[in-house]
Amino acid sequence: MVRWFQSFHRPSAVRPVASGGVPEQDLVVPSRLAALRTALARIGTTLDENATCVELTREAVRQVGGTAAVLSLDREAAAEYEAVSGDPALLPDVRWAMAAAQATSALGEAATAISHVGAGRSRPALCVPLNTDGEAYGGLVCARDRAPFTPAEAEFLGVLAERAASHIRHAREHQRVRGIVGNLQRALLAEPGRPHPNLDVAIRYMPVGQSALVGGDWCETVRLHFGRTLLVVGDVMGHGIEAAVDMTAYRSSLRYIASADLPPHRVLRQLDDSASAEPDRRPATCLIARVDPNRGQVTLASAGHLPPAVIDGQGRTSLLPVPVGPPLGTGFGGYEPATYQLDPAQTLVLFTDGLVEHRGEDIDQSLDRLADVVFEPTADVEDVLDTVLAGLDARHAEDDVAVLAAQLHERTLRGDGVGT
């Protein structure tokens, strides 16, 4: 790259003067710099390695004509051209190109140029290394059916290849981190505890888009005494590893606190005390439902979270009002319970705000869209989740989505009159 820029300022014995008294060289240099800036801006527009290679070859053809392709040095399978722009018939034998790419990378050469035989006559070809900061990713191979490539063209292509190699490095690092975070996500979003057999539960988690690798949304179920089950859904502020780590801290605290079999509002109070004692802990919203199948009741408490929905035996949806306290981690406390009857014909749905919220839309309008979803009267918990996710187009949600559906397991009588 340095040599390429130095070529702008090589001394000249003659400095012809253009019209207006401005030396022609002073007019050419800015135009070449502008062309370079424009070309570089077209390469590396995404964090996708394949897209970067396509952008590189297209720009190479735009600048020097002919055909351009990329060879990767780390392919385990047989070498082949990738991201071809132009007529593939102009390209030299791929075995030569691979040998040239390996040689230019190993020797640190700027480019390797040869003439190869194609269509019965000699054709020029050029291999420019895809190197950056000592890392070799392959080569940019260019070929055309006319004059050999000039040193200036080789320098120009070298600058483009170096920029592309830098973006390839970033793309691979992004993929590496994405893989690590994906594994972390699977570990952090481990299966919730098993509810009692008298309760059917289904859970779905959907991260938003491709850029949000891990979020702070979570669901949990905890077995309590006397056949009761605690259902929990929470949403830690933000995205990424930090939110996921705080999410696991809230889940761990919840499991410990729930072991004391406290009512939901007191569980929230202790969670809030624990989180507010850690200044780096992110705030979180949380909704807790304690389901008691023996009494046909559900007791709810909310820490800044949206209310749950209940689907009746006719498939109609309504929201259960719950007193809303402050989010966890604020240290304000002040949570109150609300208890409702729940029968086997009904389905309780807990969810995070990503399921319903749209940017710029009033939250009441968002919740109304949920209430408008119609379900099959005989839908089980899995069918309920399929319907609600499809009905609210959760695949295009603007935030992570975590949703939990629960139904009382209708008990049947055995021949001896004992319930099962």
Side-chain angles (χ1 to χ4, degrees):
M1 183 180 292
V2 172
R3 293 197 304 273
W4 197 85
F5 279 105
Q6 287 174 341
S7 70
F8 291 148
H9 303 288
R10 289 173 183 159
S12 175
V14 180
R15 291 175 59 84
V17 177
S19 60
V22 181
E24 287 185 358
Q25 183 177 356
D26 291 345
L27 293 175
V28 171
V29 170
S31 65
R32 292 177 70 186
L33 284 172
L36 177 62
R37 292 192 186 100
T38 301
L40 292 177
R42 297 190 184 109
I43 298 173
T45 60
T46 70
L47 279 172
D48 182 271
E49 179 177 345
N50 293 331
T52 296
C53 291
V54 170
E55 291 166 348
L56 171 63
T57 57
R58 286 177 178 172
E59 191 59 32
V61 171
R62 183 181 288 113
Q63 296 296 330
V64 301
T67 300
V70 167
L71 275 175
S72 176
L73 291 181
D74 56 1
R75 286 185 60 89
E76 296 180 0
E80 61 181 24
Y81 287 118
E82 302 172 3
V84 178
S85 293
D87 182 5
L90 291 177
L91 294 170
D93 183 87
V94 71
R95 292 169 295 180
W96 167 84
M98 179 58 72
Q102 292 169 339
T104 52
S105 296
L107 298 175
E109 296 178 350
T112 298
I114 69 161
S115 294
H116 70 102
V117 177
R121 62 180 182 275
S122 178
R123 285 174 172 168
L126 185 73
C127 182
V128 182
L130 284 169
N131 292 356
T132 183
D133 294 337
E135 294 290 333
Y137 298 103
L140 168 66
V141 180
C142 299
R144 61 190 181 193
D145 194 15
R146 54 186 178 88
F149 294 94
T150 67
E153 288 175 325
E155 291 279 3
F156 196 101
L157 292 173
V159 176
L160 299 187
E162 185 175 349
R163 169 59 66 90
S166 177
H167 283 287
I168 290 172
R169 180 187 63 186
H170 291 310
R172 292 188 180 184
E173 179 64 16
H174 176 72
Q175 284 298 111
R176 186 185 70 83
V177 173
R178 186 183 180 91
I180 292 173
V181 175
N183 291 333
L184 175 62
Q185 179 185 29
R186 284 186 286 273
L188 296 178
L189 295 177
E191 280 294 314
R194 295 178 180 273
H196 280 287
N198 54 17
L199 193 66
D200 294 330
V201 174
I203 293 173
R204 301 284 176 84
Y205 173 76
M206 298 176 64
V208 61
Q210 295 296 318
S211 58
L213 304 179
V214 177
D217 293 27
W218 54 285
C219 296
E220 185 62 86
T221 66
V222 181
R223 285 193 184 197
L224 302 176
H225 299 298
F226 309 114
R228 297 169 299 164
T229 297
L230 207 64
L231 306 177
V232 187
V233 63
D235 185 358
V236 179
M237 182 183 69
H239 298 277
I241 293 178
E242 294 84 358
V245 169
D246 284 342
M247 177 262 288
T248 58
Y250 278 111
R251 288 181 71 174
S252 298
S253 298
L254 169 76
R255 291 166 180 165
Y256 174 75
I257 295 169
S259 64
D261 207 353
L262 299 172
H265 66 289
R266 291 186 58 189
V267 173
L268 289 179
R269 186 184 307 164
Q270 291 204 19
L271 279 173
D272 180 55
D273 290 341
S274 173
S276 60
E278 300 181 26
D280 295 332
R281 180 84 70 88
R282 297 184 178 208
T285 65
C286 185
L287 177 66
I288 297 181
R290 186 180 67 186
V291 181
D292 186 344
N294 293 326
R295 297 183 178 181
Q297 290 182 341
V298 57
T299 300
L300 302 152
S302 171
H305 206 86
L306 295 177
V310 64
I311 304 164
D312 65 19
Q314 285 72 48
R316 298 169 301 194
T317 306
S318 59
L319 300 174
L320 296 181
V322 183
V324 181
L328 301 175
T330 61
F332 296 138
Y335 307 106
E336 300 178 19
T339 300
Y340 296 93
Q341 293 300 122
L342 189 68
D343 63 59
Q346 295 175 312
T347 304
L348 184 68
V349 180
L350 284 63
F351 53 92
T352 57
D353 55 10
L355 178 67
V356 296
E357 284 189 347
H358 285 178
R359 191 175 293 108
E361 181 181 74
D362 183 80
I363 187 58
D364 290 333
Q365 184 179 354
S366 302
L367 292 172
D368 287 342
R369 287 190 294 104
L370 171 60
D372 290 339
V373 178
V374 179
F375 299 84
E376 290 293 330
T378 59
D380 61 18
V381 288
E382 294 289 350
D383 293 334
V384 165
L385 292 188
D386 288 340
T387 301
V388 73
L389 292 174
L392 297 177
D393 194 20
R395 293 191 179 279
H396 297 98
E398 299 169 1
D399 197 359
D400 298 338
V401 174
V403 58
L404 179 155
Q407 293 174 349
L408 300 183
H409 189 73
E410 197 162 12
R411 303 179 69 185
T412 60
L413 293 179
R414 297 194 315 225
D416 55 5
V418 178
T420 61

